[in-house]
Amino acid sequence: TIRFSVWYKNGENTYESVTNYLNAGTYYVKAVIDGSADYEYTESTAVFFTISKKAIEVPTLDGNSVYKHGADVTSDISGYDQTVMYISGSNVTVDSDEERYYISAVNAGSYFIRITLSDTRNYEWSDGLAESVRTLTWKVSPFEVKAPVIETGFETDYCAAVVKLDYTDSEHKQYYMVTGDLSATNAGEYEAVAVLKNKSNYIWQSDTAENGTSNDIVVTWTIRQAAN
């Protein structure tokens, strides 16, 4: 009776006997006739073959997002297959809903998830890199707030009456406050300040002096002394 002997390469120059060749790897097989009263033990020349790992596309995130005033912000994870990989993350929530996989966050910031192949013997990433873990990054940008219009360098003469600093709110007035010296009576130099209410999640639009930052906008104005 002819039988087949299958060997799996488990080291640099070592092989182990296996009963099948279902997994990726390098093997050799021999046809063997066991010795008996009628036959001498005989084996064929080894035939070597390799089963390659299946290449898996690295999942991707759908793109960066913008802070939504306390509401959840999400980004779908495309290409995720829970049968061959798993997710871990930091400061994010990973949920699945009807086979939709996504990460979510509430605040502006940079987030990441790690995608790890769960069966590295039979699968590899298609990018050719050996590591089993891929890190995907995602950014939730601060919301850009349009600043109020406050007259810069306003000056007036003392007139023994209350002087008010005029300013015009923008459509984003719910996201900032204007404080400081908004009115005065006596001669002197004063400061009005526009302050973002949530500096972690808001920045000023790029058309302001403090563009792209959450710094306070400080405007100096003056009541000059009355002439003698």
Side-chain angles (χ1 to χ4, degrees):
T1 302
I2 298 175
R3 64 179 176 85
F4 292 95
S5 176
V6 182
W7 296 78
Y8 167 72
K9 187 175 184 179
N10 61 0
E12 184 67 26
N13 295 299
T14 59
Y15 288 81
E16 63 176 299
S17 177
V18 294
T19 58
N20 58 60
Y21 38 89
L22 299 177
N23 294 306
T26 298
Y27 299 82
Y28 73 79
V29 61
K30 290 182 177 181
V32 177
I33 298 177
D34 293 315
S36 67
D38 299 314
Y39 299 99
E40 293 183 356
Y41 175 86
T42 305
E43 64 180 27
S44 68
T45 302
V47 176
F48 289 84
F49 63 95
T50 298
I51 299 175
S52 299
K53 295 181 180 182
K54 183 176 181 179
I56 302 294
E57 292 289 334
V58 179
T60 58
L61 291 170
D62 281 353
N64 295 327
S65 306
V66 178
Y67 173 71
K68 292 184 178 179
H69 318 297
D72 276 347
V73 183
T74 65
S75 178
D76 284 348
I77 305 168
S78 300
Y80 178 72
D81 182 353
Q82 63 178 341
T83 64
V84 295
M85 60 188 77
Y86 61 90
I87 299 175
S88 58
S90 173
N91 297 323
V92 297
T93 300
V94 181
D95 294 318
S96 62
D97 180 13
E98 297 180 356
E99 299 305 314
R100 177 196 174 206
Y101 295 90
Y102 60 94
I103 62 175
S104 65
V106 173
N107 293 310
S110 294
Y111 301 91
F112 69 88
I113 59 172
R114 291 189 178 96
I115 310 290
T116 305
L117 286 173
S118 52
D119 181 1
T120 55
R121 180 174 179 178
N122 292 306
Y123 297 93
E124 63 184 0
W125 296 119
S126 61
D127 59 14
L129 300 178
E131 294 81 4
S132 63
V133 181
R134 293 292 179 272
T135 300
L136 308 181
T137 57
W138 177 52
K139 182 179 180 180
V140 179
S141 299
F143 180 82
E144 292 192 3
V145 174
K146 187 172 184 178
V149 178
I150 307 174
E151 183 178 352
T152 302
F154 172 72
E155 293 187 9
T156 189
D157 293 323
Y158 172 75
C159 61
V162 175
V163 177
K164 293 184 178 181
L165 178 67
D166 289 331
Y167 66 91
T168 303
D169 277 315
S170 76
E171 62 265 33
H172 294 156
K173 64 181 181 180
Q174 66 268 42
Y175 307 131
Y176 65 80
M177 56 185 175
V178 180
T179 186
D181 304 319
L182 302 181
S183 65
T185 302
N186 298 316
E189 189 172 90
Y190 300 94
E191 284 186 347
V193 185
V195 182
L196 290 168
K197 292 182 178 179
N198 185 341
K199 292 188 177 184
S200 297
N201 292 305
Y202 296 134
I203 58 176
W204 299 112
Q205 284 185 354
S206 57
D207 57 354
T208 67
E210 303 297 339
N211 68 85
T213 76
S214 58
N215 297 338
D216 296 344
I217 298 175
V218 180
V219 174
T220 301
W221 61 284
T222 303
I223 298 178
R224 294 186 294 265
Q225 291 184 335
N228 293 329

